[in-house]
């Protein structure tokens, strides 16, 4: 099944293969900070000091966002550096042709009899 995916859509197969797992430490840190923020939120509500509650909410929100976002990696998983000078000149053309390529692939698969 992997060989068929690679032959049908090599870019998708490459993307799926190059995705690395995030470290457990990132989730543990984000969870601990989120719990601390939740405790600050409750403490602010219990003491009727809104600024403590707001600060706790901001900390909790930041921790959850940190836990669910990808780290800022300078290099992709395949080890090749990507240029950071901006979008290539053909970017607009490539985006405009996405639906066309998708329709062509759909037609190609229909013509092959559902493969």
């Amino acid at each position: 099944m992997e060989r068929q995916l690679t032959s049908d859509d090599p870019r998708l197969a490459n993307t799926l293969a190059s995705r690395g797992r995030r470290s457990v430490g990132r989730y543990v840190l984000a969870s601990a900070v989120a719990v601390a923020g939740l405790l600050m939120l409750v403490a602010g509500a219990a003491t009727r000091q809104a600024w403590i509650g707001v600060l706790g909410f901001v900390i909790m929100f930041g921790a959850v966002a940190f836990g669910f976002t990808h780290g800022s990696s300078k290099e992709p998983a395949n080890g090749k550096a990507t240029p950071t000078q901006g979008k290539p000149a053909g970017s607009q053309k490539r985006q405009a042709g996405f639906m066309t390529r998708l329709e062509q692939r759909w037609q190609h698969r229909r013509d092959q009899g559902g493969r």
Side-chain angles (χ1 to χ4, degrees):
M1 185 151 62
E2 290 180 23
R3 280 181 276 178
Q4 183 180 2
L5 174 64
T6 304
S7 66
D8 287 348
D9 196 351
R11 285 178 43 195
L12 175 64
N14 187 27
T15 301
L16 293 175
S18 66
R19 277 197 182 164
R21 291 182 48 177
R22 291 186 222 152
S23 68
V24 175
R26 184 180 182 96
Y27 291 123
V28 170
L29 178 66
S31 299
V33 174
V35 168
L38 180 64
L39 290 175
M40 285 182 67
L41 183 100
V42 171
T47 60
R48 293 180 188 235
Q49 294 193 9
W51 67 273
I52 294 175
V54 169
L55 182 64
F57 177 79
V58 169
I59 290 172
M60 186 174 54
F61 181 79
V64 170
F66 173 76
F68 282 108
T69 58
H70 295 290
S72 60
S73 174
K74 299 289 182 197
E75 286 188 22
N78 63 6
K80 296 179 182 175
T82 56
T84 58
Q85 296 156 347
K87 291 185 177 182
S91 176
Q92 294 292 337
K93 180 182 175 188
R94 206 169 52 227
Q95 287 179 353
F98 173 73
M99 289 303 291
T100 305
R101 286 194 325 264
L102 193 62
E103 289 173 4
Q104 288 173 349
R105 287 180 186 168
W106 177 259
Q107 280 299 107
H108 180 68
R109 288 182 182 145
R110 277 184 60 198
D111 294 342
Q112 286 184 348
R115 283 188 356 147

